[in-house]
Amino acid sequence: MSTNVVLVVAIVVLVACGTTLVLERSLTRILVGFVMLGNGVNLVFLVASGPAGRAPIIGTGDEPMTDPLPQAMVLTAIVITLGVTAFGLALAYRAWQLTGHDDVQDDVEDDLVIRRADLDRPSASFDDVTAGMPDEEGEDEQSASGDNTGTDAADRIAAERGEA
């Protein structure tokens, strides 16, 4: 059995373009990328199923039958892709109604995590093994050194954002 090279190239192009579009910030591009990715995966199922044969109905001929499982999986994948596409269209339309564009914005918490990483400070909820544990003299190591970097950084960042 020889594989159709045109279908393999189409699979590679669809999956590559779909993956690139899914990584964009616009919801419509993400949606188009998801549809392209789904079509590429459907072609993978059809190429992997082997050569065409007769209809998978027992007792209708001597020719070898086609495997019905890949066809059923592709049909299921088409239905799932249609449902996710409808949901994505609803999200994109609602985002366009509310904001006038469909770009996905950074989350406020993501921005806070990035700022903490730039400052190289732990978050306020970070519980270090030695933090809060009394040392041999019975003193808390963190309170003895006067180092409250986690909460100071969180307070400073919250003050910068105007939440203090």
mmCIF file of all heavy atoms in Angstrom, residues 7-8 15 34 49 77-78 87 104 106 108 120 132 140 157:
data_model
loop_
_atom_site.group_PDB
_atom_site.id
_atom_site.type_symbol
_atom_site.label_atom_id
_atom_site.label_comp_id
_atom_site.label_asym_id
_atom_site.label_seq_id
_atom_site.Cartn_x
_atom_site.Cartn_y
_atom_site.Cartn_z
ATOM 1 N N LEU A 7 -2.036 14.046 0.209
ATOM 2 C CA LEU A 7 -2.783 14.087 1.460
ATOM 3 C C LEU A 7 -1.862 14.313 2.652
ATOM 4 O O LEU A 7 -2.218 15.028 3.597
ATOM 5 C CB LEU A 7 -3.573 12.791 1.658
ATOM 6 C CG LEU A 7 -4.882 12.676 0.893
ATOM 7 C CD1 LEU A 7 -5.528 11.323 1.142
ATOM 8 C CD2 LEU A 7 -5.831 13.777 1.276
ATOM 9 N N VAL A 8 -0.686 13.730 2.632
ATOM 10 C CA VAL A 8 0.263 13.925 3.727
ATOM 11 C C VAL A 8 0.711 15.381 3.786
ATOM 12 O O VAL A 8 0.801 15.980 4.867
ATOM 13 C CB VAL A 8 1.467 12.964 3.591
ATOM 14 C CG1 VAL A 8 2.538 13.287 4.607
ATOM 15 C CG2 VAL A 8 1.019 11.523 3.731
ATOM 16 N N VAL A 15 -2.214 21.121 9.892
ATOM 17 C CA VAL A 15 -1.853 21.048 11.305
ATOM 18 C C VAL A 15 -0.898 22.186 11.672
ATOM 19 O O VAL A 15 -1.051 22.821 12.722
ATOM 20 C CB VAL A 15 -1.254 19.662 11.644
ATOM 21 C CG1 VAL A 15 -0.641 19.656 13.023
ATOM 22 C CG2 VAL A 15 -2.322 18.593 11.531
ATOM 23 N N PHE A 34 -8.466 26.285 15.051
ATOM 24 C CA PHE A 34 -9.038 25.062 15.594
ATOM 25 C C PHE A 34 -9.735 24.252 14.507
ATOM 26 O O PHE A 34 -9.620 23.016 14.469
ATOM 27 C CB PHE A 34 -10.015 25.394 16.727
ATOM 28 C CG PHE A 34 -10.564 24.179 17.402
ATOM 29 C CD1 PHE A 34 -9.791 23.465 18.308
ATOM 30 C CD2 PHE A 34 -11.839 23.734 17.116
ATOM 31 C CE1 PHE A 34 -10.297 22.325 18.919
ATOM 32 C CE2 PHE A 34 -12.345 22.603 17.721
ATOM 33 C CZ PHE A 34 -11.579 21.899 18.623
ATOM 34 N N SER A 49 -6.390 4.870 7.805
ATOM 35 C CA SER A 49 -7.363 3.773 7.725
ATOM 36 C C SER A 49 -7.050 2.795 6.607
ATOM 37 O O SER A 49 -7.585 1.686 6.606
ATOM 38 C CB SER A 49 -8.776 4.325 7.543
ATOM 39 O OG SER A 49 -8.898 4.930 6.267
ATOM 40 N N ALA A 77 -15.567 13.298 15.269
ATOM 41 C CA ALA A 77 -14.702 14.470 15.355
ATOM 42 C C ALA A 77 -15.320 15.678 14.651
ATOM 43 O O ALA A 77 -15.182 16.815 15.117
ATOM 44 C CB ALA A 77 -13.326 14.161 14.763
ATOM 45 N N ILE A 78 -16.012 15.433 13.543
ATOM 46 C CA ILE A 78 -16.681 16.537 12.837
ATOM 47 C C ILE A 78 -17.770 17.141 13.715
ATOM 48 O O ILE A 78 -17.906 18.370 13.806
ATOM 49 C CB ILE A 78 -17.261 16.041 11.490
ATOM 50 C CG1 ILE A 78 -16.122 15.752 10.505
ATOM 51 C CG2 ILE A 78 -18.230 17.055 10.899
ATOM 52 C CD1 ILE A 78 -16.569 15.050 9.243
ATOM 53 N N PHE A 87 -19.448 27.247 19.903
ATOM 54 C CA PHE A 87 -19.140 27.859 21.195
ATOM 55 C C PHE A 87 -18.098 28.966 21.031
ATOM 56 O O PHE A 87 -18.231 30.051 21.612
ATOM 57 C CB PHE A 87 -18.640 26.787 22.158
ATOM 58 C CG PHE A 87 -18.302 27.325 23.516
ATOM 59 C CD1 PHE A 87 -19.295 27.788 24.365
ATOM 60 C CD2 PHE A 87 -16.990 27.374 23.951
ATOM 61 C CE1 PHE A 87 -18.984 28.290 25.618
ATOM 62 C CE2 PHE A 87 -16.671 27.867 25.199
ATOM 63 C CZ PHE A 87 -17.667 28.327 26.035
ATOM 64 N N VAL A 104 -7.764 38.519 23.116
ATOM 65 C CA VAL A 104 -7.697 38.010 24.480
ATOM 66 C C VAL A 104 -6.660 38.840 25.228
ATOM 67 O O VAL A 104 -5.518 38.951 24.800
ATOM 68 C CB VAL A 104 -7.307 36.520 24.495
ATOM 69 C CG1 VAL A 104 -7.187 36.006 25.915
ATOM 70 C CG2 VAL A 104 -8.307 35.709 23.710
ATOM 71 N N ASP A 106 -4.348 40.005 28.690
ATOM 72 C CA ASP A 106 -3.654 39.359 29.793
ATOM 73 C C ASP A 106 -4.501 39.451 31.055
ATOM 74 O O ASP A 106 -5.162 40.451 31.308
ATOM 75 C CB ASP A 106 -2.303 40.027 30.058
ATOM 76 C CG ASP A 106 -1.266 39.604 29.045
ATOM 77 O OD1 ASP A 106 -1.431 38.528 28.458
ATOM 78 O OD2 ASP A 106 -0.294 40.351 28.850
ATOM 79 N N VAL A 108 -5.068 39.865 35.048
ATOM 80 C CA VAL A 108 -4.431 40.699 36.070
ATOM 81 C C VAL A 108 -3.499 39.853 36.929
ATOM 82 O O VAL A 108 -2.391 40.265 37.271
ATOM 83 C CB VAL A 108 -5.510 41.398 36.937
ATOM 84 C CG1 VAL A 108 -4.873 42.173 38.060
ATOM 85 C CG2 VAL A 108 -6.364 42.302 36.073
ATOM 86 N N ASP A 120 12.050 38.730 41.412
ATOM 87 C CA ASP A 120 12.661 37.534 41.994
ATOM 88 C C ASP A 120 12.293 37.407 43.470
ATOM 89 O O ASP A 120 13.128 37.158 44.326
ATOM 90 C CB ASP A 120 14.167 37.528 41.806
ATOM 91 C CG ASP A 120 14.756 36.143 42.021
ATOM 92 O OD1 ASP A 120 14.014 35.165 41.790
ATOM 93 O OD2 ASP A 120 15.924 36.036 42.424
ATOM 94 N N GLY A 132 8.801 30.601 59.215
ATOM 95 C CA GLY A 132 7.802 30.320 60.222
ATOM 96 C C GLY A 132 8.184 29.202 61.177
ATOM 97 O O GLY A 132 7.442 28.894 62.089
ATOM 98 N N ASP A 140 11.419 32.803 65.610
ATOM 99 C CA ASP A 140 11.078 32.596 64.220
ATOM 100 C C ASP A 140 12.176 33.224 63.378
ATOM 101 O O ASP A 140 12.505 34.391 63.541
ATOM 102 C CB ASP A 140 9.719 33.240 63.928
ATOM 103 C CG ASP A 140 9.265 33.015 62.512
ATOM 104 O OD1 ASP A 140 9.717 32.029 61.908
ATOM 105 O OD2 ASP A 140 8.459 33.820 62.023
ATOM 106 N N ILE A 157 3.319 45.878 45.005
ATOM 107 C CA ILE A 157 2.709 45.686 43.700
ATOM 108 C C ILE A 157 1.236 46.058 43.731
ATOM 109 O O ILE A 157 0.711 46.689 42.818
ATOM 110 C CB ILE A 157 2.917 44.230 43.223
ATOM 111 C CG1 ILE A 157 4.407 44.014 42.929
ATOM 112 C CG2 ILE A 157 2.071 43.924 42.007
ATOM 113 C CD1 ILE A 157 4.764 42.584 42.665
#
